[in-house]
Amino acid sequence: VLAQGILARLNHQLSPVGKPFIRAAFYFKEALQLLLPLNTSNTSVMSNYNMIFKIGAYKSFSEISPIVQFANFTCNQALLEVFEGCNRVHIIDFDVGYGGQWASLMQELVLRNGGAPSMKITAFASPSSHDDIELGFTIENLKHYASEINMDFDIEIMSLEALNSGSWPLPLHLGENEAIAVNLPIGSFSNYPSILPLVLRFVKQLSPKIVVSLDRGCDRTDVPFPHHIIHALQSYSGLLESLDAVNMNLDALEKIERFFLQPSIEKIVLGRHRSLERRPPWRSLFIQSGFSPLTFSNFTESQAECLIQRTPIRGFHVEKRQSSLVLCWQRRELIAASAWRC
């Protein structure tokens, strides 16, 4: 009852129009509203029509904000360096999305001396947060692109719930002489933060050459629920500020917020509420699970800086923090890339 009273007052004060902080607060208020027992809206309903908007919003976001390019480039460059001289590469992916990162990696692998290796992706997805239509779209796109550039390619989707059930070793089809790499962004577990230690144990058993990870700065299960939400609110407020600086078409911005950012905020709020207990910071979990940080090469660092300097908006910059490369807006962290070895 108290929560409903607070949310009712916030309904009068917040709107999806206005300054970045107000808009971010509006989306968090909407997500918190979903936690009330009287709430009847179903956020998981997905239509083909909706998917078109989601893909369009993601594409617009990738084009106007340097976040996706920075993340893909930094992680892919680390993968390219460990794949040097390998004829067969196998990526275990916990956040396949629309597959853009892997299309870029294929393109780079095809251009390398000695020709392209064969490439396989095993993507883990949760039926509760991934739509079959979206996954089908990603699979078809990647297969089509691989055939266009004459690359031997295969992709397999596995259920993340299988890891949770403790029924592994899973029927993972690992070939001999395959170079294994893992893509493990922390944000991909915002729906179910409690599964991360299990996933790390599973990954350790695979003995990959490298694990690449991304941290959005709001993936904080090491603090209580209210602090996590406030931290995430500040993080998304900074992200919206950076989008406003681009001075883009308002209709496109509204679609990015509604179909791309708002669902991400819902995942953070609902996922953390399902798993309220505090956990060690994710970096501590990596180290406790037997992973050690790798430093990005000087080439990766300098190229990431060049990439951001080409952004027409001033205010973005790359910082090196410990072994991570961090993309910042003004002084605020937007996303950090890191690499790990077992």
Side-chain angles (χ1 to χ4, degrees), residues 244-315:
D244 276 10
V246 179
N247 201 15
M248 66 182 299
N249 172 297
L250 281 179
D251 179 54
L253 182 60
E254 191 263 334
K255 285 192 170 70
I256 287 172
E257 292 183 15
R258 185 175 158 204
F259 293 102
F260 180 58
L261 300 182
Q262 191 172 358
S264 302
I265 289 168
E266 283 176 8
K267 275 186 185 175
I268 290 170
V269 173
L270 300 179
R272 182 62 201 275
H273 194 258
R274 276 197 295 270
S275 181
L276 283 171
E277 67 273 25
R278 287 168 65 174
R279 305 182 174 281
W282 70 267
R283 283 180 164 276
S284 302
L285 281 176
F286 271 56
I287 289 162
Q288 285 165 20
S289 303
F291 295 85
S292 54
L294 283 168
T295 304
F296 286 107
S297 66
N298 290 337
F299 177 78
T300 305
E301 208 178 315
S302 61
Q303 289 301 107
E305 282 170 1
C306 286
L307 182 79
I308 300 312
Q309 281 164 9
R310 289 204 299 271
T311 305
I313 310 300
R314 293 288 151 259

Side-chain angles (χ1 to χ4, degrees), residues 91-152:
I91 290 160
I92 312 295
D93 187 10
F94 288 90
D95 189 22
V96 71
Y98 298 119
Q101 178 178 356
W102 306 131
S104 303
L105 183 67
M106 286 179 198
Q107 198 174 25
E108 293 295 329
L109 287 169
V110 162
L111 295 173
R112 75 177 193 178
N113 290 338
S118 70
M119 179 169 164
K120 177 167 184 183
I121 295 173
T122 299
F124 280 89
S126 166
S128 61
S129 63
H130 279 83
D131 185 82
D132 286 343
I133 302 168
E134 272 188 53
L135 282 173
F137 171 83
T138 299
I139 291 165
E140 283 313 306
N141 264 4
L142 287 172
K143 284 184 171 176
H144 177 70
Y145 186 69
S147 71
E148 277 195 333
I149 59 173
N150 290 324
M151 188 173 199
D152 180 7

Side-chain angles (χ1 to χ4, degrees), residues 56-66 68-69 246 248 256 311-312:
Y58 176 76
K59 191 168 180 292
S60 298
F61 179 75
S62 309
E63 286 166 359
I64 67 150
S65 170
V68 175
Q69 280 185 51
V246 179
M248 66 182 299
I256 287 172
T311 305

Side-chain angles (χ1 to χ4, degrees), residues 20-301:
F21 182 79
I22 296 293
R23 298 194 325 261
F26 171 81
Y27 298 127
F28 276 91
K29 182 265 297 180
E30 292 285 285
L32 287 165
Q33 204 131 19
L34 298 172
L35 299 176
L36 293 181
L38 293 175
N39 179 68
T40 54
S41 68
N42 182 358
T43 55
S44 63
V45 172
M46 176 77 173
S47 65
N48 290 359
Y49 186 63
N50 220 4
M51 191 188 87
I52 290 163
F53 277 124
K54 277 183 77 175
I55 293 168
Y58 176 76
K59 191 168 180 292
S60 298
F61 179 75
S62 309
E63 286 166 359
I64 67 150
S65 170
I67 290 177
V68 175
Q69 280 185 51
F70 167 82
N72 289 353
F73 168 79
T74 311
C75 292
N76 280 356
Q77 189 53 42
L79 295 175
L80 286 167
E81 286 166 17
V82 299
F83 287 158
E84 193 66 49
C86 300
N87 294 325
R88 301 171 71 183
V89 303
H90 191 157
I91 290 160
I92 312 295
D93 187 10
F94 288 90
D95 189 22
V96 71
Y98 298 119
Q101 178 178 356
W102 306 131
S104 303
L105 183 67
M106 286 179 198
Q107 198 174 25
E108 293 295 329
L109 287 169
V110 162
L111 295 173
R112 75 177 193 178
N113 290 338
S118 70
M119 179 169 164
K120 177 167 184 183
I121 295 173
T122 299
F124 280 89
S126 166
S128 61
S129 63
H130 279 83
D131 185 82
D132 286 343
I133 302 168
E134 272 188 53
L135 282 173
F137 171 83
T138 299
I139 291 165
E140 283 313 306
N141 264 4
L142 287 172
K143 284 184 171 176
H144 177 70
Y145 186 69
S147 71
E148 277 195 333
I149 59 173
N150 290 324
M151 188 173 199
D152 180 7
F153 174 75
D154 188 27
I155 181 166
E156 182 178 13
I157 307 291
M158 298 197 77
S159 167
L160 193 57
E161 269 73 354
L163 280 181
N164 217 356
S165 69
S167 62
W168 38 287
L170 289 162
L172 255 194
H173 305 116
L174 300 176
E176 281 183 44
N177 307 320
E178 272 185 347
I180 297 171
V182 179
N183 181 45
L184 190 68
I186 302 305
S188 56
F189 300 100
S190 55
N191 244 11
Y192 19 71
S194 57
I195 199 177
L196 183 58
L198 256 179
V199 168
L200 290 171
R201 270 173 47 211
F202 167 68
V203 167
K204 184 88 169 75
Q205 290 184 354
L206 299 175
S207 302
K209 274 180 169 285
I210 191 171
V211 175
V212 289
S213 188
L214 294 167
D215 166 26
R216 299 169 302 175
C218 56
D219 303 309
R220 295 291 306 274
T221 52
D222 57 317
V223 293
F225 177 73
H227 295 83
H228 184 187
I229 299 306
I230 289 166
H231 190 85
L233 168 60
Q234 289 166 340
S235 183
Y236 271 88
S237 176
L239 172 56
L240 291 177
E241 246 176 60
S242 75
L243 290 178
D244 276 10
V246 179
N247 201 15
M248 66 182 299
N249 172 297
L250 281 179
D251 179 54
L253 182 60
E254 191 263 334
K255 285 192 170 70
I256 287 172
E257 292 183 15
R258 185 175 158 204
F259 293 102
F260 180 58
L261 300 182
Q262 191 172 358
S264 302
I265 289 168
E266 283 176 8
K267 275 186 185 175
I268 290 170
V269 173
L270 300 179
R272 182 62 201 275
H273 194 258
R274 276 197 295 270
S275 181
L276 283 171
E277 67 273 25
R278 287 168 65 174
R279 305 182 174 281
W282 70 267
R283 283 180 164 276
S284 302
L285 281 176
F286 271 56
I287 289 162
Q288 285 165 20
S289 303
F291 295 85
S292 54
L294 283 168
T295 304
F296 286 107
S297 66
N298 290 337
F299 177 78
T300 305
E301 208 178 315

